[in-house]
Amino acid sequence: MRKVIFDCDNTFGLADHDVDDGLTLLYLLGAPTIDLLGVTLTYGNGSLEEVEKMTKELQQRLTLSFDYYSANQAEYLVKQVNLYPNEITILATGALTNLSEALRIDPNFFKKVQEVVLMGGTIEPLKVNHRLVTELNFSCDPDAAKSVLLSQTNLTIMNGHMTSEAFFSRHEMNQFLTLVETTINQDTLKWIHQTLENWIKWNEKVFGFSGFCNWDMTTAVYLERPELFSQERYNLSKNQLTLTKGRMTLTDKSDYSIKMPKKILDIAEFNQLVIKRMTLAFKKED
């Protein structure tokens, strides 16, 4: 079992806000090879207060079993990596404030982490269905992002270009809902359906497609099925990280190489695995 801490900005259920953190949480809870130690909350998709509110609601409505932290998150991170040195993978899908603060508390923090998988950053202008999109996760706290990117830890970055390929359609939503309808009550099913449908409708207005980019889900799928992604490595420039806009600069000469997959190799297989794992989150206690 791979020990994982999920550092996220979940806003599942909040009107006109992204759902991918919440779905990624379901994946992690349903994955048989993942031991989710805890969830540390950050901001990005919404304020920390909104993220805490929606994470509490998600947990209660879906009767999910996990521990989350909206205060002293960095202390929790430091405690866990010292308890399990070189065993913990951190998935970080929002502002990187908690990870940066953990480094401030313990200068050896990143040396004790097995791997850090980030969702965020761009290397050129980011377009979704031909529309320019502003980078969010790294630019929320650019100083924190820089400290994490230059930490020399075992780092994998799922950037905005690749993760925009993780398209989850209305058809796949209906597949998922059909599979879980016998395991949860109708009120819960209705809430999940309404949340996902509302987000798809928002995307139809903004981007013109019937679905949404399941950005953060790439981090969880990568842990179980890295072969579903291309295997590129790049060198990060230490001096040219313009992270106020989330933009990373690559260089041919650097002593710091990071993994940054360029493509999802089979999006159909990717989505079927996502549906399977999310469904298992509701059956794990059976």
Side-chain angles (χ1 to χ4, degrees), residues 6 42 55 99 102 150 157 162 165 180-181 194 199 209 225 234 249 262 269 274:
F6 186 32
T42 187
T55 302
L99 276 65
L150 299 183
I157 299 175
M162 183 276 288
E165 297 178 3
V180 300
E181 65 181 355
Q194 185 176 50
W199 186 237
F209 48 47
R225 297 287 304 279
Y234 297 93
T249 302
K262 192 174 182 179
E269 186 174 354
V274 165

Side-chain angles (χ1 to χ4, degrees), residues 195-219:
T195 297
L196 294 176
E197 181 64 30
N198 287 345
W199 186 237
I200 288 175
K201 288 179 178 177
W202 185 93
N203 277 266
E204 285 176 334
K205 290 179 190 175
V206 175
F207 296 117
F209 48 47
S210 295
F212 54 87
C213 298
N214 207 356
W215 316 87
D216 295 342
M217 186 64 75
T218 57
T219 62

Side-chain angles (χ1 to χ4, degrees), residues 141-154:
D141 187 342
D143 291 337
K146 186 171 184 177
S147 70
V148 175
L149 291 181
L150 299 183
S151 65
Q152 302 289 317
T153 192
N154 180 19

Side-chain angles (χ1 to χ4, degrees), residues 6-9 18 20-21 24 45 90-96 99 116-122 126 133-139 145 148-149 155-166 213-220 246 248:
F6 186 32
D7 188 75
C8 72
D9 54 343
D18 217 324
D20 56 338
D21 294 88
T24 303
N45 287 332
I90 299 173
L91 303 189
T93 61
L96 297 176
L99 276 65
V116 177
V117 184
L118 307 178
M119 188 276 128
T122 62
L126 174 60
V133 177
T134 302
E135 198 280 341
L136 176 64
N137 290 348
F138 289 2
S139 60
V148 175
L149 291 181
L155 183 63
T156 299
I157 299 175
M158 318 303 270
N159 68 40
H161 311 289
M162 183 276 288
T163 58
S164 66
E165 297 178 3
C213 298
N214 207 356
W215 316 87
D216 295 342
M217 186 64 75
T218 57
T219 62
M248 298 175 288

